[in-house]
Amino acid sequence: MTSITPQEIKQEFLKSKMGIAGITILGILVATSIIAMVAIPVETFQEWNNPGNWISNPKVAIPIWVNIFMTDKIPEHKILEDPLIQNISEGEVNLTSHQFGVNFDYDEFPNDFIYEFSSEYSGSPLLQMTVIRPDGIKLDLLTTSLPYSDGKTKHSERIFSTDDAIKKNLSLQSDTFEFAFERISAEDVVFSKIQSNEPLKGNYIFSIDLYGINSENQIQESNLIIGGKAFGIMGTDELRRDLAIGLLWGTPLALFIGLVVSIASVIMGLLYGVYAGYKGKKTDETMMRLNDVIYALPALPFLIILSVTISNSIFVMVGFLMIFGWVGIAKVSRSMSLQIKTRGYVDAATMMGQKDSKIILKHIVPQLLPYAFASIAISVPAAITTEAGLSFLGLGDPSFPTWGQILHDANTFGAAARGMWWWIMPPGVMIAITGLAFVFIGNALDAIVNPKLKR
């Protein structure tokens, strides 16, 4: 081992293409983590496993960019939240109208359409839902009265295209179409050409009108969902969760797990090994035998047992990974410490009566820092893949959207057998890229610390 200053390490590192590549990838991952924590509402993280939070999303929808490579364009899932609002009064009758414009330019029918609303009213106002198609034909979808109330009340409801009332209203307008649609879903009828049951492209206007005699009646929340088969940058899973959000939140979690475990393990192993090597004799023998005992334990089976019997909390798991991560570092640190303590300046410090702790921290540990930095970088992928492996086996913390947890859910719902590649490949690729970044950095540092590795 040769003494090398931090400035020399920096200069040598910047000459390494592998090191630069690793730092670049790590920078992108850190930037992604910052974007995730700043731009994405924290509620999406906290409500990751709450199905009610994702009810507006489609099930197992593929990423929208897949349409670029498809001959027949599949419909994208659209959530329209900003209707055109009009309030009209004619005598005693008041009308509140919410209109949604939809540009439908796909070669397949949508999955469904859903209107979500909450209204505040008194009495029993009339709700009417219609659609004006690109060919100018107006279809009546629903006419219903809201539940009666003597005083002011709030009412929330979802109107689905599968409602029998919509299907019955469409059947009353069957003369408009030149084909029979008794067994065709309501969305297929609404978005169909007149001549044949094929998608009609163009602009649709969905109009929801609330009639009442009270001018204070109003629709407070109003969303129209056109159910599609493609959604978001990374698609959705069986529980309708946006996988892009899970992947983004998984980045800071992976870096947290990898860096905390590796830094803590290296510090523990470094101090343990250096102290054992410096003290020597019985202290060294006792500490190394304890090290051998922990080193001989099969880490993965023990981690599985500890996760099942004690806790699968992600913080407890980080602690378990630290327990099994420091022993190898301690062995190498001890051997280096045995060499360094024979040097003249260490003997001089001893003869001057300096304390053991001061000699270790001031004269020995600094000599091992380059090795420690390389060890930290190399240890990160192991911590990330171990957590991912435990989560994949169902032993991870389900309250956190880690990449391993996403893979576990994909396995549980048979994503591979169902061909849902967008649920499996992205988390796997993210784990591989993160591991690759630290392997590049670690190997570049290792080549500097150990000159024999240089070619």
Side-chain angles (χ1 to χ4, degrees), residues 281-311:
K281 299 180 181 178
K282 290 184 178 179
T283 303
D284 180 31
E285 186 70 17
T286 303
M287 293 178 70
M288 284 301 103
R289 295 297 76 78
L290 175 62
N291 181 282
D292 290 341
V293 169
I294 300 176
Y295 196 76
L297 294 175
L300 185 59
F302 259 87
L303 286 170
I304 292 174
I305 293 170
L306 292 171
S307 297
V308 172
T309 56
I310 298 179
S311 171

Side-chain angles (χ1 to χ4, degrees), residues 34-309:
I34 294 172
I35 291 172
M37 291 187 287
V38 173
I40 302 177
V42 71
E43 289 78 13
T44 59
F45 178 89
Q46 297 168 338
E47 299 292 329
W48 177 251
N49 288 315
N50 179 11
N53 192 52
W54 310 97
I55 192 67
S56 298
N57 292 350
K59 269 188 178 183
V60 292
I62 65 173
I64 56 174
W65 51 264
V66 174
N67 258 339
I68 299 173
F69 307 100
M70 299 185 72
T71 305
D72 293 336
K73 306 301 180 186
I74 56 176
E76 296 177 8
H77 188 84
K78 296 181 179 180
I79 302 175
L80 308 174
E81 299 176 334
D82 298 313
L84 175 63
I85 302 175
Q86 290 182 317
N87 293 302
I88 303 171
S89 295
E90 293 184 2
E92 294 184 348
V93 179
N94 295 287
L95 167 63
T96 299
S97 177
H98 285 208
Q99 293 185 341
F100 297 88
V102 180
N103 180 24
F104 189 80
D105 191 26
Y106 307 104
D107 298 304
E108 295 182 17
F109 290 107
N111 283 346
D112 53 23
F113 59 82
I114 304 170
Y115 177 60
E116 300 176 328
F117 73 99
S118 66
S119 62
E120 188 175 78
Y121 64 90
S122 59
S124 181
L126 185 69
L127 184 76
Q128 190 173 47
M129 185 174 181
T130 59
V131 58
I132 301 175
R133 296 155 37 101
D135 53 10
I137 294 176
K138 182 178 180 180
L139 296 176
D140 295 326
L141 299 177
L142 180 71
T143 301
T144 184
S145 297
L146 300 185
Y148 178 79
S149 173
D150 288 329
K152 186 171 288 186
T153 185
K154 288 185 178 180
H155 176 75
S156 298
E157 187 176 344
R158 285 192 178 94
I159 298 174
F160 295 87
S161 59
T162 53
D163 284 1
D164 291 338
I166 292 180
K167 190 67 183 293
K168 185 177 179 180
N169 273 346
L170 288 173
S171 66
L172 296 174
Q173 303 164 79
S174 59
D175 293 342
T176 307
F177 298 87
E178 298 177 7
F179 59 92
F181 55 73
E182 286 78 10
R183 296 187 178 183
I184 299 175
S185 63
E187 60 272 10
D188 284 13
V189 175
V190 170
F191 289 88
S192 176
K193 295 178 180 177
I194 295 296
Q195 299 80 10
S196 60
N197 186 218
E198 296 176 4
L200 175 65
K201 299 180 181 180
N203 294 320
Y204 291 76
I205 299 175
F206 284 80
S207 181
I208 294 88
D209 301 325
L210 183 69
Y211 295 92
I213 57 174
N214 191 334
S215 60
E216 295 181 354
N217 291 351
Q218 57 181 322
I219 301 176
Q220 294 177 322
E221 295 179 12
S222 183
N223 300 323
L224 179 68
I225 300 172
I226 305 297
K229 301 170 184 174
F231 181 79
I233 298 175
M234 301 309 299
T236 61
D237 62 12
E238 182 72 19
L239 302 177
R240 304 174 186 266
R241 297 177 297 198
D242 188 343
L243 289 172
I245 292 176
L247 291 170
L248 285 173
W249 277 122
T251 306
L253 288 171
L255 293 180
F256 166 77
I257 294 169
L259 289 174
V260 169
V261 170
S262 61
I263 291 173
S265 299
V266 169
I267 291 175
M268 291 167 58
L270 190 70
L271 295 177
Y272 189 93
V274 168
Y275 185 77
Y278 175 76
K279 294 297 289 184
K281 299 180 181 178
K282 290 184 178 179
T283 303
D284 180 31
E285 186 70 17
T286 303
M287 293 178 70
M288 284 301 103
R289 295 297 76 78
L290 175 62
N291 181 282
D292 290 341
V293 169
I294 300 176
Y295 196 76
L297 294 175
L300 185 59
F302 259 87
L303 286 170
I304 292 174
I305 293 170
L306 292 171
S307 297
V308 172
T309 56

Side-chain angles (χ1 to χ4, degrees), residues 351-379:
M351 293 175 65
M352 290 172 65
Q354 291 187 357
K355 294 181 179 177
D356 292 347
S357 58
K358 187 174 182 179
I359 294 173
I360 289 172
L361 296 176
K362 186 175 180 180
H363 299 295
I364 299 180
V365 169
Q367 303 298 317
L368 273 63
L369 288 182
Y371 163 72
F373 290 139
S375 298
I376 288 172
I378 293 174
S379 301

Side-chain angles (χ1 to χ4, degrees), residues 416-437:
R418 297 162 65 185
M420 297 163 61
W421 54 267
W422 63 90
W423 197 354
I424 304 168
M425 290 182 61
V429 169
M430 290 300 291
I431 292 172
I433 288 176
T434 306
L436 194 64

